[in-house]
Structures are given as structure tokens and as C-alpha cells.
Amino acid sequence: MKASRVITQARVLLNDPDKVRWTDAELLGWLNGGQLQIVAVRPDAKSSTVDHTLVAGVEQTLGATGLRVLDVIRNVGGRTITLVPRDQLNEFDPDWYSARAGTAIKHYTFDANAPKAFEVYPPASAGMKVRLLQSLLPTDCATLDSDVDLVSAELFESALIDFVCYRAWAKDGDVAPDAERAANAIATFMHALTGKSESDKATRPARK
């Protein structure tokens, strides 16, 4: 989906088809901001499966392009890996942080307060690889002809339009009607994302 598609639809709602009030550059910048906000709320909106090389020990971190760990799936070429709470590992083996390195990762643990980091059990040897799913930073649309950089971008078209309109109306927030429009647009944007998240949870395949 091209950025121009979002901007054109936003201009209809903004009643600015002739680009009198807002420039393309302004609206494009707000579209890029909308992409970032979507990924902040819905990390799966920009995600990729990669083979990640581990460092020695328990504590691991995503590479520079990774924003958030979504799943650690399996050892590359080997067994699957399961997510377990850190408390469960602590109870099972209080000394697991200093355990001997294993030949394959069995479990991982994750703290939402440190989204780029995860821990593995048993501790890894340097160079081991796991296949993981990670959220990524979307690429900015440089021009109206650029593609929106979200997975299944069309599903987020309405949300992006709402975000662009929100930022445009917020710019004129000292005018009562525009302030109200801005508030409604950002509320609709957030509802679209959180509502879709709940729908996806209800219909996603369960991992055994």
C-alpha cells in the first residue's frame, strides 16, 4: 500500500484536497509517526523471523534492528524452545544462571519491561543459534510513492488515516471543533488497534 493512498484519504476528511492548509511533507511525517505508534501498540504489525546468534551465558539481546522479542521458537536445526516464567526456573534451579552451558536451549524467559532482552536455559555457548520472532522498527516513507512498512498494511489503513487526521487537527487545537475532531480521531485510532489485538488473540492458533 502506497503512502499516497493514506494521505489522499486523510485529505478528504481534512477537507484539504488542494493542499492549502497542510503540506504533503507534514502529512507524510505524521504517517511515519503513525507507523511507529502502531508498532508500539501492536508489535506484530512489523515483525520478522530471524536466526539469532547467541552470546555465551544466560542473558541475550536482540540485534540493532530488533525492537521486541515476540517468540523464541527453536534451536536452529534442533529442538523447540518453550517460554517459562523466571520464577519457575528459579524454583527449579536457584543456580541456573551459573549452570554449565548446554548443547541446546530448552527454555527462555522474557520480561516485558526489557523488551529487547531475553534469557535462555541452559546457558548458551557462544555462537549457538536460535530462530526467533522479533518486532522491527518500520522504515519511514520518504515520498508519497513509498510503501507503508507494516505487515498486511491494508489492515492498518484506517488507523493510519485516523492518526494523520489527529495530528493535523491537533495542530489547530486552539480551535474548538478541531480539538474535538483530534480527540475523536486518536480515540478511534487506539480503539482500532486494541480491538484488533483482542480479535487476533481470540482467533490465533494455540502453540502446543
Side-chain angles (χ1 to χ4, degrees):
M1 182 177 70
K2 299 295 184 182
S4 58
R5 178 165 154 177
V6 174
I7 300 303
T8 298
Q9 292 301 313
R11 285 199 179 280
V12 171
L13 296 176
L14 294 170
N15 195 26
D16 188 33
D18 297 323
K19 309 178 184 181
V20 175
R21 180 64 187 89
W22 296 281
T23 67
D24 283 340
E26 281 182 299
L27 299 187
L28 194 62
W30 294 331
L31 184 153
N32 290 330
Q35 287 193 133
L36 291 174
Q37 289 300 314
I38 287 172
V39 172
V41 178
R42 289 292 310 268
D44 59 311
K46 174 63 178 176
S47 59
S48 176
T49 302
V50 297
D51 290 345
H52 180 78
T53 302
L54 304 178
V55 299
V58 167
E59 297 175 346
Q60 309 293 327
T61 306
L62 295 179
T65 59
L67 288 182
R68 184 182 185 89
V69 177
L70 300 180
D71 193 11
V72 182
I73 303 166
R74 63 179 175 86
N75 293 270
V76 172
R79 64 175 290 161
T80 59
I81 300 171
T82 56
L83 172 65
V84 298
R86 186 182 291 116
D87 289 347
Q88 185 175 326
L89 282 174
N90 292 343
E91 184 176 350
F92 171 72
D93 181 3
D95 297 317
W96 69 278
Y97 277 92
S98 57
R100 180 177 298 179
T103 57
I105 303 303
K106 298 178 180 179
H107 309 297
Y108 81 98
T109 186
F110 170 79
D111 185 344
N113 294 316
K116 287 177 65 76
F118 62 103
E119 297 171 329
V120 296
Y121 177 84
S125 299
M128 292 175 66
K129 291 187 176 183
V130 297
R131 182 154 297 172
L132 58 78
L133 180 65
Q134 63 181 357
S135 177
L136 302 171
L137 188 70
T139 302
D140 282 350
C141 295
T143 69
L144 293 179
D145 197 46
S146 299
D147 289 318
V148 173
D149 192 28
L150 298 173
V151 176
S152 300
E154 288 78 6
L155 296 179
F156 298 99
E157 179 180 1
S158 293
L160 284 170
I161 293 168
D162 286 327
F163 190 85
V164 171
C165 290
Y166 153 67
R167 290 300 303 270
W169 284 320
K171 181 179 178 180
D172 294 335
D174 54 336
V175 180
D178 282 347
E180 183 177 352
R181 292 186 187 107
N184 289 337
I186 194 62
T188 303
F189 170 81
M190 290 303 301
H191 178 73
L193 298 185
T194 55
K196 185 177 186 307
S197 180
E198 291 303 313
S199 174
D200 287 354
K201 286 179 183 178
T203 58
R204 72 176 52 166
R207 185 179 175 193
K208 303 297 186 181

